[in-house]
Amino acid sequence: EQGGVSTGVVLAVGPTCFVDYHGQPADLQIGTKVIFARYGGKDVPNPENEEENLKLLQDEDILGVIKDD
């Protein structure tokens, strides 16, 4: 269902990302556009912009990568 997903841009990747999946996919890097479960993760305040929240996601919340052609 499209209503259950959102898109965003990766700002950071932690050292334990995708450990259960034998390592981080090569195409998931800072700046990568991703599709994630809309209600997954946790909203945290953006320290650089008080009017904006960032989404802190678990690796299993990332559903796909959007590739620009």
Side-chain angles (χ1 to χ4, degrees), residues 5-38:
V5 298
S6 292
T7 60
V9 176
V10 175
L11 299 178
V13 179
T16 60
C17 184
F18 294 101
V19 169
D20 292 339
Y21 307 103
H22 307 292
Q24 173 182 329
D27 53 356
L28 184 66
Q29 302 171 19
I30 294 172
T32 302
K33 294 179 188 176
V34 294
I35 301 169
F36 60 90
R38 177 171 293 172

Side-chain angles (χ1 to χ4, degrees), residues 42-56:
K42 181 176 180 179
D43 289 325
V44 294
N46 182 346
E48 297 176 3
N49 181 352
E50 293 179 8
E51 296 179 13
E52 178 182 62
N53 282 334
L54 301 175
K55 182 72 80 169
L56 183 62

